[in-house]
PDB file of all heavy atoms in Angstrom:
ATOM      1  N   GLN A   1     -41.775  -0.797  61.413  1.00  0.00           N
ATOM      2  CA  GLN A   1     -40.862  -1.478  62.285  1.00  0.00           C
ATOM      3  C   GLN A   1     -39.599  -0.613  62.557  1.00  0.00           C
ATOM      4  O   GLN A   1     -39.218   0.120  61.666  1.00  0.00           O
ATOM      5  CB  GLN A   1     -40.494  -2.775  61.720  1.00  0.00           C
ATOM      6  CG  GLN A   1     -41.576  -3.817  61.788  1.00  0.00           C
ATOM      7  CD  GLN A   1     -41.143  -5.184  61.272  1.00  0.00           C
ATOM      8  OE1 GLN A   1     -40.039  -5.312  60.767  1.00  0.00           O
ATOM      9  NE2 GLN A   1     -41.989  -6.170  61.397  1.00  0.00           N
ATOM     10  N   GLN A   2     -39.021  -0.898  63.646  1.00  0.00           N
ATOM     11  CA  GLN A   2     -37.754  -0.175  63.969  1.00  0.00           C
ATOM     12  C   GLN A   2     -36.661  -0.705  63.087  1.00  0.00           C
ATOM     13  O   GLN A   2     -36.647  -1.913  62.659  1.00  0.00           O
ATOM     14  CB  GLN A   2     -37.378  -0.356  65.410  1.00  0.00           C
ATOM     15  CG  GLN A   2     -38.337   0.332  66.359  1.00  0.00           C
ATOM     16  CD  GLN A   2     -37.902   0.114  67.811  1.00  0.00           C
ATOM     17  OE1 GLN A   2     -37.201  -0.782  68.157  1.00  0.00           O
ATOM     18  NE2 GLN A   2     -38.381   1.017  68.695  1.00  0.00           N
ATOM     19  N   ALA A   3     -35.674   0.139  62.808  1.00  0.00           N
ATOM     20  CA  ALA A   3     -34.588  -0.271  62.005  1.00  0.00           C
ATOM     21  C   ALA A   3     -33.672  -1.326  62.725  1.00  0.00           C
ATOM     22  O   ALA A   3     -33.513  -1.287  63.940  1.00  0.00           O
ATOM     23  CB  ALA A   3     -33.694   0.968  61.661  1.00  0.00           C
ATOM     24  N   ILE A   4     -33.145  -2.270  61.956  1.00  0.00           N
ATOM     25  CA  ILE A   4     -32.213  -3.224  62.499  1.00  0.00           C
ATOM     26  C   ILE A   4     -30.798  -2.599  62.464  1.00  0.00           C
ATOM     27  O   ILE A   4     -30.407  -2.034  61.433  1.00  0.00           O
ATOM     28  CB  ILE A   4     -32.289  -4.552  61.709  1.00  0.00           C
ATOM     29  CG1 ILE A   4     -33.656  -5.117  61.918  1.00  0.00           C
ATOM     30  CG2 ILE A   4     -31.193  -5.456  62.191  1.00  0.00           C
ATOM     31  CD1 ILE A   4     -33.864  -6.450  61.165  1.00  0.00           C
ATOM     32  N   ILE A   5     -30.116  -2.602  63.558  1.00  0.00           N
ATOM     33  CA  ILE A   5     -28.855  -1.919  63.721  1.00  0.00           C
ATOM     34  C   ILE A   5     -27.720  -2.883  63.413  1.00  0.00           C
ATOM     35  O   ILE A   5     -27.672  -4.023  63.794  1.00  0.00           O
ATOM     36  CB  ILE A   5     -28.709  -1.359  65.164  1.00  0.00           C
ATOM     37  CG1 ILE A   5     -29.895  -0.508  65.562  1.00  0.00           C
ATOM     38  CG2 ILE A   5     -27.425  -0.665  65.363  1.00  0.00           C
ATOM     39  CD1 ILE A   5     -30.040   0.739  64.752  1.00  0.00           C
ATOM     40  N   CYS A   6     -26.691  -2.371  62.681  1.00  0.00           N
ATOM     41  CA  CYS A   6     -25.466  -3.145  62.393  1.00  0.00           C
ATOM     42  C   CYS A   6     -24.735  -3.373  63.715  1.00  0.00           C
ATOM     43  O   CYS A   6     -24.640  -2.514  64.529  1.00  0.00           O
ATOM     44  CB  CYS A   6     -24.617  -2.285  61.417  1.00  0.00           C
ATOM     45  SG  CYS A   6     -22.986  -3.081  61.078  1.00  0.00           S
ATOM     46  N   GLN A   7     -24.243  -4.641  63.854  1.00  0.00           N
ATOM     47  CA  GLN A   7     -23.527  -5.016  65.016  1.00  0.00           C
ATOM     48  C   GLN A   7     -22.183  -4.285  65.193  1.00  0.00           C
ATOM     49  O   GLN A   7     -21.712  -4.142  66.304  1.00  0.00           O
ATOM     50  CB  GLN A   7     -23.238  -6.510  65.010  1.00  0.00           C
ATOM     51  CG  GLN A   7     -24.430  -7.384  65.263  1.00  0.00           C
ATOM     52  CD  GLN A   7     -24.019  -8.872  65.165  1.00  0.00           C
ATOM     53  OE1 GLN A   7     -23.024  -9.229  64.657  1.00  0.00           O
ATOM     54  NE2 GLN A   7     -24.865  -9.698  65.710  1.00  0.00           N
ATOM     55  N   VAL A   8     -21.657  -3.830  64.095  1.00  0.00           N
ATOM     56  CA  VAL A   8     -20.271  -3.240  64.163  1.00  0.00           C
ATOM     57  C   VAL A   8     -20.344  -1.690  64.315  1.00  0.00           C
ATOM     58  O   VAL A   8     -19.852  -1.127  65.234  1.00  0.00           O
ATOM     59  CB  VAL A   8     -19.435  -3.669  62.926  1.00  0.00           C
ATOM     60  CG1 VAL A   8     -18.083  -3.041  62.967  1.00  0.00           C
ATOM     61  CG2 VAL A   8     -19.345  -5.160  62.861  1.00  0.00           C
ATOM     62  N   CYS A   9     -20.967  -1.059  63.309  1.00  0.00           N
ATOM     63  CA  CYS A   9     -20.957   0.406  63.292  1.00  0.00           C
ATOM     64  C   CYS A   9     -22.143   1.075  63.968  1.00  0.00           C
ATOM     65  O   CYS A   9     -22.176   2.280  64.030  1.00  0.00           O
ATOM     66  CB  CYS A   9     -20.807   0.899  61.838  1.00  0.00           C
ATOM     67  SG  CYS A   9     -22.192   0.554  60.798  1.00  0.00           S
ATOM     68  N   ARG A  10     -23.136   0.257  64.329  1.00  0.00           N
ATOM     69  CA  ARG A  10     -24.324   0.749  65.012  1.00  0.00           C
ATOM     70  C   ARG A  10     -25.174   1.714  64.124  1.00  0.00           C
ATOM     71  O   ARG A  10     -25.901   2.555  64.641  1.00  0.00           O
ATOM     72  CB  ARG A  10     -23.997   1.463  66.321  1.00  0.00           C
ATOM     73  CG  ARG A  10     -23.258   0.642  67.307  1.00  0.00           C
ATOM     74  CD  ARG A  10     -23.949  -0.603  67.513  1.00  0.00           C
ATOM     75  NE  ARG A  10     -24.231  -0.928  68.878  1.00  0.00           N
ATOM     76  CZ  ARG A  10     -24.840  -2.030  69.174  1.00  0.00           C
ATOM     77  NH1 ARG A  10     -25.211  -2.826  68.297  1.00  0.00           N
ATOM     78  NH2 ARG A  10     -25.112  -2.307  70.443  1.00  0.00           N
ATOM     79  N   GLU A  11     -25.065   1.597  62.831  1.00  0.00           N
ATOM     80  CA  GLU A  11     -25.885   2.329  61.894  1.00  0.00           C
ATOM     81  C   GLU A  11     -27.037   1.440  61.471  1.00  0.00           C
ATOM     82  O   GLU A  11     -26.843   0.216  61.411  1.00  0.00           O
ATOM     83  CB  GLU A  11     -25.051   2.824  60.668  1.00  0.00           C
ATOM     84  CG  GLU A  11     -23.980   3.834  61.047  1.00  0.00           C
ATOM     85  CD  GLU A  11     -24.614   5.173  61.485  1.00  0.00           C
ATOM     86  OE1 GLU A  11     -25.673   5.606  60.885  1.00  0.00           O
ATOM     87  OE2 GLU A  11     -24.037   5.745  62.396  1.00  0.00           O
ATOM     88  N   PRO A  12     -28.177   1.990  61.018  1.00  0.00           N
ATOM     89  CA  PRO A  12     -29.233   1.160  60.591  1.00  0.00           C
ATOM     90  C   PRO A  12     -28.877   0.407  59.285  1.00  0.00           C
ATOM     91  O   PRO A  12     -28.269   0.992  58.413  1.00  0.00           O
ATOM     92  CB  PRO A  12     -30.428   2.117  60.316  1.00  0.00           C
ATOM     93  CG  PRO A  12     -30.049   3.389  60.965  1.00  0.00           C
ATOM     94  CD  PRO A  12     -28.599   3.430  61.128  1.00  0.00           C
ATOM     95  N   ILE A  13     -29.295  -0.782  59.174  1.00  0.00           N
ATOM     96  CA  ILE A  13     -29.077  -1.608  57.952  1.00  0.00           C
ATOM     97  C   ILE A  13     -30.190  -1.248  56.956  1.00  0.00           C
ATOM     98  O   ILE A  13     -31.348  -1.151  57.351  1.00  0.00           O
ATOM     99  CB  ILE A  13     -29.101  -3.150  58.238  1.00  0.00           C
ATOM    100  CG1 ILE A  13     -28.006  -3.476  59.265  1.00  0.00           C
ATOM    101  CG2 ILE A  13     -28.998  -3.964  57.017  1.00  0.00           C
ATOM    102  CD1 ILE A  13     -28.071  -4.942  59.729  1.00  0.00           C
ATOM    103  N   SER A  14     -29.802  -1.042  55.705  1.00  0.00           N
ATOM    104  CA  SER A  14     -30.782  -0.542  54.711  1.00  0.00           C
ATOM    105  C   SER A  14     -31.888  -1.632  54.487  1.00  0.00           C
ATOM    106  O   SER A  14     -31.579  -2.823  54.491  1.00  0.00           O
ATOM    107  CB  SER A  14     -30.100  -0.207  53.402  1.00  0.00           C
ATOM    108  OG  SER A  14     -29.674  -1.412  52.786  1.00  0.00           O
ATOM    109  N   PRO A  15     -33.083  -1.184  54.273  1.00  0.00           N
ATOM    110  CA  PRO A  15     -34.227  -2.126  54.011  1.00  0.00           C
ATOM    111  C   PRO A  15     -33.969  -2.976  52.804  1.00  0.00           C
ATOM    112  O   PRO A  15     -34.398  -4.109  52.696  1.00  0.00           O
ATOM    113  CB  PRO A  15     -35.448  -1.229  53.839  1.00  0.00           C
ATOM    114  CG  PRO A  15     -35.067   0.052  54.530  1.00  0.00           C
ATOM    115  CD  PRO A  15     -33.581   0.203  54.397  1.00  0.00           C
ATOM    116  N   ASP A  16     -33.288  -2.362  51.785  1.00  0.00           N
ATOM    117  CA  ASP A  16     -33.029  -3.145  50.618  1.00  0.00           C
ATOM    118  C   ASP A  16     -32.113  -4.352  50.868  1.00  0.00           C
ATOM    119  O   ASP A  16     -32.340  -5.446  50.362  1.00  0.00           O
ATOM    120  CB  ASP A  16     -32.327  -2.285  49.523  1.00  0.00           C
ATOM    121  CG  ASP A  16     -33.214  -1.154  49.065  1.00  0.00           C
ATOM    122  OD1 ASP A  16     -34.446  -1.320  49.112  1.00  0.00           O
ATOM    123  OD2 ASP A  16     -32.706  -0.105  48.622  1.00  0.00           O
ATOM    124  N   ARG A  17     -31.146  -4.146  51.744  1.00  0.00           N
ATOM    125  CA  ARG A  17     -30.267  -5.287  52.122  1.00  0.00           C
ATOM    126  C   ARG A  17     -31.038  -6.288  52.931  1.00  0.00           C
ATOM    127  O   ARG A  17     -30.863  -7.509  52.727  1.00  0.00           O
ATOM    128  CB  ARG A  17     -29.072  -4.711  52.927  1.00  0.00           C
ATOM    129  CG  ARG A  17     -28.187  -5.869  53.448  1.00  0.00           C
ATOM    130  CD  ARG A  17     -26.864  -5.293  54.007  1.00  0.00           C
ATOM    131  NE  ARG A  17     -26.045  -6.299  54.674  1.00  0.00           N
ATOM    132  CZ  ARG A  17     -25.319  -7.229  54.029  1.00  0.00           C
ATOM    133  NH1 ARG A  17     -25.315  -7.213  52.732  1.00  0.00           N
ATOM    134  NH2 ARG A  17     -24.604  -8.096  54.691  1.00  0.00           N
ATOM    135  N   LEU A  18     -31.928  -5.846  53.804  1.00  0.00           N
ATOM    136  CA  LEU A  18     -32.715  -6.813  54.532  1.00  0.00           C
ATOM    137  C   LEU A  18     -33.717  -7.552  53.722  1.00  0.00           C
ATOM    138  O   LEU A  18     -34.098  -8.723  54.077  1.00  0.00           O
ATOM    139  CB  LEU A  18     -33.447  -6.045  55.722  1.00  0.00           C
ATOM    140  CG  LEU A  18     -32.505  -5.543  56.741  1.00  0.00           C
ATOM    141  CD1 LEU A  18     -33.262  -4.583  57.730  1.00  0.00           C
ATOM    142  CD2 LEU A  18     -31.797  -6.668  57.522  1.00  0.00           C
ATOM    143  N   ASP A  19     -34.169  -7.005  52.621  1.00  0.00           N
ATOM    144  CA  ASP A  19     -35.015  -7.740  51.693  1.00  0.00           C
ATOM    145  C   ASP A  19     -34.340  -8.916  51.071  1.00  0.00           C
ATOM    146  O   ASP A  19     -34.839  -9.955  50.899  1.00  0.00           O
ATOM    147  CB  ASP A  19     -35.562  -6.796  50.582  1.00  0.00           C
ATOM    148  CG  ASP A  19     -36.605  -5.841  51.086  1.00  0.00           C
ATOM    149  OD1 ASP A  19     -37.174  -6.123  52.188  1.00  0.00           O
ATOM    150  OD2 ASP A  19     -36.869  -4.838  50.395  1.00  0.00           O
ATOM    151  N   VAL A  20     -33.018  -8.671  50.724  1.00  0.00           N
ATOM    152  CA  VAL A  20     -32.272  -9.738  50.073  1.00  0.00           C
ATOM    153  C   VAL A  20     -31.694 -10.735  51.157  1.00  0.00           C
ATOM    154  O   VAL A  20     -31.768 -11.957  50.976  1.00  0.00           O
ATOM    155  CB  VAL A  20     -31.037  -9.090  49.324  1.00  0.00           C
ATOM    156  CG1 VAL A  20     -30.141 -10.194  48.767  1.00  0.00           C
ATOM    157  CG2 VAL A  20     -31.559  -8.207  48.241  1.00  0.00           C
ATOM    158  N   PHE A  21     -31.190 -10.201  52.292  1.00  0.00           N
ATOM    159  CA  PHE A  21     -30.630 -10.963  53.366  1.00  0.00           C
ATOM    160  C   PHE A  21     -31.377 -10.677  54.652  1.00  0.00           C
ATOM    161  O   PHE A  21     -31.004  -9.859  55.433  1.00  0.00           O
ATOM    162  CB  PHE A  21     -29.174 -10.714  53.613  1.00  0.00           C
ATOM    163  CG  PHE A  21     -28.276 -10.885  52.397  1.00  0.00           C
ATOM    164  CD1 PHE A  21     -27.779  -9.807  51.690  1.00  0.00           C
ATOM    165  CD2 PHE A  21     -27.993 -12.152  51.980  1.00  0.00           C
ATOM    166  CE1 PHE A  21     -26.993  -9.956  50.579  1.00  0.00           C
ATOM    167  CE2 PHE A  21     -27.187 -12.349  50.865  1.00  0.00           C
ATOM    168  CZ  PHE A  21     -26.720 -11.241  50.135  1.00  0.00           C
ATOM    169  N   PRO A  22     -32.551 -11.331  54.897  1.00  0.00           N
ATOM    170  CA  PRO A  22     -33.373 -10.993  56.110  1.00  0.00           C
ATOM    171  C   PRO A  22     -32.671 -11.229  57.441  1.00  0.00           C
ATOM    172  O   PRO A  22     -33.022 -10.567  58.371  1.00  0.00           O
ATOM    173  CB  PRO A  22     -34.552 -11.973  55.987  1.00  0.00           C
ATOM    174  CG  PRO A  22     -34.474 -12.577  54.627  1.00  0.00           C
ATOM    175  CD  PRO A  22     -33.095 -12.423  54.104  1.00  0.00           C
ATOM    176  N   SER A  23     -31.672 -12.086  57.511  1.00  0.00           N
ATOM    177  CA  SER A  23     -31.012 -12.347  58.755  1.00  0.00           C
ATOM    178  C   SER A  23     -29.641 -11.620  58.869  1.00  0.00           C
ATOM    179  O   SER A  23     -28.853 -11.976  59.667  1.00  0.00           O
ATOM    180  CB  SER A  23     -30.761 -13.823  58.938  1.00  0.00           C
ATOM    181  OG  SER A  23     -29.918 -14.352  57.989  1.00  0.00           O
ATOM    182  N   ALA A  24     -29.464 -10.583  58.033  1.00  0.00           N
ATOM    183  CA  ALA A  24     -28.232  -9.788  58.039  1.00  0.00           C
ATOM    184  C   ALA A  24     -27.998  -9.107  59.427  1.00  0.00           C
ATOM    185  O   ALA A  24     -28.912  -8.565  59.974  1.00  0.00           O
ATOM    186  CB  ALA A  24     -28.252  -8.779  56.947  1.00  0.00           C
ATOM    187  N   LYS A  25     -26.824  -9.223  59.922  1.00  0.00           N
ATOM    188  CA  LYS A  25     -26.462  -8.580  61.205  1.00  0.00           C
ATOM    189  C   LYS A  25     -25.537  -7.378  60.983  1.00  0.00           C
ATOM    190  O   LYS A  25     -25.289  -6.615  61.943  1.00  0.00           O
ATOM    191  CB  LYS A  25     -25.732  -9.565  62.125  1.00  0.00           C
ATOM    192  CG  LYS A  25     -26.517 -10.820  62.429  1.00  0.00           C
ATOM    193  CD  LYS A  25     -27.595 -10.467  63.384  1.00  0.00           C
ATOM    194  CE  LYS A  25     -28.295 -11.759  63.796  1.00  0.00           C
ATOM    195  NZ  LYS A  25     -29.546 -11.494  64.437  1.00  0.00           N
ATOM    196  N   ARG A  26     -25.016  -7.222  59.807  1.00  0.00           N
ATOM    197  CA  ARG A  26     -24.057  -6.182  59.470  1.00  0.00           C
ATOM    198  C   ARG A  26     -24.556  -5.405  58.275  1.00  0.00           C
ATOM    199  O   ARG A  26     -25.140  -5.986  57.343  1.00  0.00           O
ATOM    200  CB  ARG A  26     -22.674  -6.722  59.199  1.00  0.00           C
ATOM    201  CG  ARG A  26     -22.008  -7.381  60.386  1.00  0.00           C
ATOM    202  CD  ARG A  26     -20.666  -7.849  60.069  1.00  0.00           C
ATOM    203  NE  ARG A  26     -20.023  -8.411  61.230  1.00  0.00           N
ATOM    204  CZ  ARG A  26     -18.785  -8.825  61.273  1.00  0.00           C
ATOM    205  NH1 ARG A  26     -18.030  -8.739  60.234  1.00  0.00           N
ATOM    206  NH2 ARG A  26     -18.296  -9.330  62.363  1.00  0.00           N
ATOM    207  N   CYS A  27     -24.224  -4.104  58.185  1.00  0.00           N
ATOM    208  CA  CYS A  27     -24.541  -3.299  57.006  1.00  0.00           C
ATOM    209  C   CYS A  27     -23.600  -3.777  55.853  1.00  0.00           C
ATOM    210  O   CYS A  27     -22.657  -4.515  56.072  1.00  0.00           O
ATOM    211  CB  CYS A  27     -24.354  -1.831  57.317  1.00  0.00           C
ATOM    212  SG  CYS A  27     -22.727  -1.304  57.646  1.00  0.00           S
TER     213      CYS A  27
END
């Protein structure tokens, strides 16, 4: 899957963070 991008800095959100917070919008 494509990386989910942070709304603020436009960097990819780490997969580890998305495992803990699946609906995270920010890094």
Side-chain angles (χ1 to χ4, degrees):
Q1 286 184 352
Q2 291 182 340
I4 295 178
I5 306 297
C6 175
Q7 288 179 340
V8 178
C9 67
R10 302 310 234 179
E11 293 294 320
I13 300 174
S14 71
D16 296 334
R17 177 168 172 76
L18 291 172
D19 287 341
V20 177
F21 303 106
S23 62
K25 301 286 185 196
R26 296 181 177 187
C27 65

